[in-house]
Amino acid sequence: MKLSQALIIILLVANLIATIWFGINKEPGGEVSQIAKAAHHELPPVVSSEVRNEIFETFFQYFNAADYDSLYNMFGPVAKAEVLKEASVKEFKRMVDYFHSIESGVYIYSELLGSRGNTNIYTMYYSVNLSEKSEFGTKGTLKVTIAVQGNEYQIYGIRLNAESAAQ
């Protein structure tokens, strides 16, 4: 056997031993991926469980009443500056046409999307039960994007999606 072949074999064996060694000695749960950290992010105190429930109840009430102006008024000043009321109303009408109404819902978790200066942007996820008349099934997810700055928050976006039949 040539010296170069022997060296390659030795390096491969050393690599295998190192891989096994570090795999065995790794503490379980010691390292959490960034995706896992973001998937269940704790919201700041200003977005308490009462606030999360109030946001859902307000959306629930306005959505089921097809009160498009009030749905638009849930947005904070930044969202209103970026989204025309007419476009928002058109999108809310489409959602009501597709889903008809929401039967119930519950907050499930939030994600930290990022930061801009001292403002943190989160998406809150609510599991919802939709009307039997819904064109896309009776289960869905309400996503509410909020911006939190100090002791204040504002809603940036609202999106209602049906869960796929495969889930």
Side-chain angles (χ1 to χ4, degrees), residues 80-95:
K80 286 180 179 178
E82 293 179 9
V83 178
L84 294 174
K85 184 175 183 177
E86 295 77 21
S88 175
V89 166
K90 182 179 178 181
E91 184 62 25
F92 285 130
K93 282 183 180 179
R94 260 185 9 167
M95 283 195 286

Side-chain angles (χ1 to χ4, degrees), residues 48 117 136 142 145 148:
S48 64
F136 298 102
L142 174 65
T145 303
V148 178

Side-chain angles (χ1 to χ4, degrees), residues 42-59:
E42 186 174 331
L43 291 164
V46 69
V47 190
S48 64
S49 62
E50 291 83 16
V51 169
R52 294 189 304 263
N53 291 337
E54 181 182 316
I55 289 170
F56 176 77
E57 290 298 325
T58 301
F59 178 80

